[in-house]
Amino acid sequence: MPTYIDPIDHILAGNRTYQQHTTQCDPDAFTNLAQGQAPDILWIGCADSRIPETTVCHCKPGDIFVHRNIANTVHADDLNAASVVEYAVTHLKVKKVVVCGHTKCGGANAALGDADLGQTLNTWLHPVRELRRRHKIELDKLPSDDARSARVAELNVQQSIEVLKQHPAVKRAVSERRLTLHGLIYDIGAGQLKILDDSGSKKTTGLWSPN
Amino acid sequence: MTGKEEIKEVRKYLQQSHDRIFENNKKWAEEMRKKKPEFFTDLSAGQAPEYLWIGCSDSRIPAEAITGLEPGEMFIHRNIANLVNNIDLNVMSVVNYAVRHLKVKHIVVCGHYGCGGVKAAMTPKDMGLLNPWLRNIRDVYRLHQDELDAITEEEAKYDRLVELNVYEQCRNIIKTAAVQQCWAKNEFPVVHGWVFGFSDGLLKDLKFDHEGQLKEIQKIYNLTQEQDG
């Protein structure tokens, strides 16, 4: 019988291993981190446990400033995300803002239907459900729910970017210091990031057009 | 360098820093597949994380990395200064989904010493768009003003405010209907308050007393009884 390990002891032990390992690789690692942060990237991603941004991008602590919520949705009237963007763009002066959606997204799946998820989640996912309605003809042609949910995830990334472009700090940084915005999709079944271009379709290289 | 060349250089730099992420991601996916060929197929079947983590957006605290967890194990919300505000639909959606749908067993609120958000909140200055968000931290100070005013050393005062902010956010999570109703049925989730320190890379457990606090909070904020209909 496997021995039961308390889940909290498990992650506290994980933290001690992380601390020892990091210090062994670089004795000054934590002293340097304590000096401050200067991340190049703001990552707006899904709360989904399967996409830890720093891990899937093979980055180090200090590289990516992070906001994660249900279905990586940016609402124009959401103060939470707007505050993260303001802090990252105006104060930390990140160079890139990334919105990352993903395949098999619970939020996108839920948005394919109109099941009652309770008032909070219904309201939060409302804009994603609206996207589904606006793109009904295109979505109906797709072969499966998986394909429809992947497409909704793409449209949602695109929509979040449109909202971000109207954020005053983003507008300023785009014109004053060439901040760029990027839409990504993470394929959970492959572990891979794909970039979306301006029209929301797949593209292998290239930057988001600054205007 | 002429202006045109300068722009070219900047563009080249931007493209490089952008490409770096994709190269790294490819490397990581290959390594994971080598270690465990079915890793990504398993992940695409769904998620069943035990933990919900509410942490700071700060780039230096990637939750899974500092706790040694793999993709699929921890549901994550990160915002400025790890705040849980009652009327914030964003964080409330996360708590709702994690508790009611994913049925997480533990909710961790993790703050960190040297938090820029906490520092900004205590700066006597108009922070524009950030004012309403940071107000929550000033409110934490006011709730604990006697204790904080008594600390004379500046850094010690901030450290304590970081800890007290975590306590208050833990309390805010307990005030939600989702947590109270799930607890009444299942005796989970349990709420924990931690602080991460850069000086040693370790997590400090603030020993938030979940059951004691729940009892205390329900004297006023009891939402255990479910909605009609």
Side-chain angles (χ1 to χ4, degrees):
Chain A
M1 217 178 81
T3 35
Y4 175 78
I5 303 162
D6 181 88
I8 290 300
D9 292 342
H10 176 58
I11 55 179
L12 288 175
N15 172 236
R16 283 191 294 274
T17 311
Y18 160 80
Q19 187 252 2
Q20 281 158 9
H21 181 79
T22 311
T23 321
Q24 266 163 21
C25 293
D26 174 10
D28 300 324
F30 290 112
T31 328
N32 291 337
L33 280 180
Q35 305 295 314
Q37 63 174 333
D40 278 343
I41 295 173
L42 162 62
W43 172 285
I44 297 175
C46 186
D48 193 301
S49 60
R50 295 166 292 178
I51 312 129
E53 70 305 316
T54 303
T55 309
V56 307
C57 296
H58 223 317
C59 283
K60 290 190 302 293
D63 288 347
I64 308 178
F65 198 71
V66 180
H67 177 64
R68 288 169 64 181
N69 66 34
I70 300 288
N72 43 269
T73 305
V74 184
H75 300 206
D77 58 359
D78 172 29
L79 210 60
N80 185 332
S83 301
V84 173
V85 173
E86 176 71 20
Y87 192 81
V89 173
T90 305
H91 297 271
L92 297 174
K93 303 210 180 328
V94 295
K95 299 186 176 70
K96 319 232 153 217
V97 178
V98 162
V99 179
C100 184
H102 65 102
T103 59
K104 310 266 181 188
C105 178
N109 284 341
L112 290 181
D114 286 309
D116 182 4
L117 305 167
Q119 235 160 31
T120 311
L121 283 163
N122 285 344
T123 313
W124 183 254
L125 288 177
H126 178 79
V128 191
R129 284 178 161 156
E130 278 302 303
L131 273 179
R132 180 201 83 208
R133 286 186 197 105
R134 279 212 302 278
H135 295 267
K136 185 175 184 313
I137 299 169
E138 180 196 347
L139 292 168
D140 282 349
K141 285 188 196 140
L142 294 173
S144 64
D145 275 349
D146 260 359
R148 275 184 278 277
S149 128
R151 181 64 185 138
V152 167
E154 287 182 5
L155 292 166
N156 187 37
V157 165
Q158 213 184 344
Q159 176 160 277
S160 291
I161 288 191
E162 288 308 316
V163 174
L164 284 169
K165 282 181 182 170
Q166 300 307 318
H167 190 294
V170 172
K171 270 188 172 168
R172 219 177 306 125
V174 164
S175 69
E176 281 172 13
R177 56 179 184 85
R178 296 194 202 94
L179 173 86
T180 51
L181 302 157
H182 305 262
L184 306 179
I185 289 287
Y186 179 76
D187 182 341
I188 287 203
Q192 244 163 18
L193 288 170
K194 275 181 233 154
I195 194 153
L196 303 174
D197 73 3
D198 234 332
S199 62
S201 62
K202 277 157 209 119
K203 197 176 161 195
T204 45
T205 54
L207 298 167
W208 199 274
S209 124
N211 289 305
Chain B
M1 223 192 301
T2 65
K4 241 189 184 159
E5 275 167 357
E6 212 172 301
I7 289 175
K8 240 176 150 182
E9 280 302 305
V10 171
R11 292 228 153 171
K12 204 169 118 201
Y13 167 76
L14 286 176
Q15 187 69 52
Q16 279 167 352
S17 58
H18 173 262
D19 292 347
R20 191 161 64 98
I21 297 270
F22 284 85
E23 283 155 22
N24 287 349
N25 165 244
K26 243 185 229 146
K27 244 188 265 164
W28 174 78
E30 272 161 32
E31 274 169 33
M32 291 310 276
R33 246 192 300 269
K34 245 186 251 161
K35 265 198 267 176
K36 206 173 153 201
E38 70 281 16
F39 184 73
F40 291 111
T41 333
D42 288 351
L43 277 186
S44 60
Q47 62 172 334
E50 292 251 332
Y51 316 91
L52 163 62
W53 173 280
I54 295 176
C56 186
S57 290
D58 194 301
S59 61
R60 297 166 291 178
I61 314 141
E64 307 81 356
I66 66 162
T67 50
L69 291 180
E70 291 207 333
E73 296 193 283
M74 198 180 247
F75 201 67
I76 309 273
H77 177 69
R78 289 170 62 183
N79 65 35
I80 300 293
N82 39 270
L83 295 179
V84 179
N85 187 309
N86 172 40
I87 57 162
D88 171 25
L89 204 63
N90 188 332
V91 72
M92 284 300 139
S93 297
V94 172
V95 171
N96 222 282
Y97 191 77
V99 174
R100 293 202 197 268
H101 297 267
L102 298 172
K103 309 217 177 310
V104 294
K105 308 295 178 290
H106 299 276
I107 301 178
V108 174
V109 177
C110 187
H112 66 101
Y113 298 119
C115 181
V118 171
K119 219 156 250 179
M122 295 319 293
T123 312
K125 190 183 160 190
D126 178 359
M127 303 292 288
L129 203 147
L130 284 167
N131 287 340
W133 190 256
L134 297 178
R135 237 289 290 282
N136 293 290
I137 302 168
R138 295 184 201 257
D139 290 343
V140 170
Y141 192 107
R142 196 166 66 92
L143 274 172
H144 299 274
Q145 190 162 7
D146 291 346
E147 178 184 346
L148 287 165
D149 279 351
I151 304 171
T152 47
E153 210 254 313
E154 206 52 17
E155 208 167 312
K157 198 197 280 267
Y158 274 123
D159 285 355
R160 187 61 188 147
L161 180 56
V162 163
E163 293 176 358
L164 291 169
N165 181 43
V166 168
Y167 276 120
E168 288 306 325
Q169 306 319 317
C170 287
R171 287 190 183 111
N172 286 345
I173 287 182
I174 286 190
K175 288 174 195 164
T176 62
V179 169
Q180 290 187 24
Q181 289 168 9
C182 186
W183 174 267
K185 272 187 223 142
N186 311 304
E187 299 227 329
F188 66 72
V190 185
V191 176
H192 308 267
W194 298 351
V195 177
F196 182 75
F198 292 120
S199 54
D200 56 6
L202 288 174
L203 288 164
K204 178 179 171 188
D205 187 352
L206 297 179
K207 312 265 181 218
F208 180 77
D209 172 17
H210 173 83
E211 280 198 79
Q213 284 298 324
L214 180 72
K215 227 176 255 167
E216 201 49 44
I217 275 166
Q218 285 188 331
K219 285 180 191 164
I220 301 171
Y221 305 86
N222 194 336
L223 305 177
T224 318
Q225 196 185 329
E226 291 187 26
Q227 270 182 295
D228 300 324

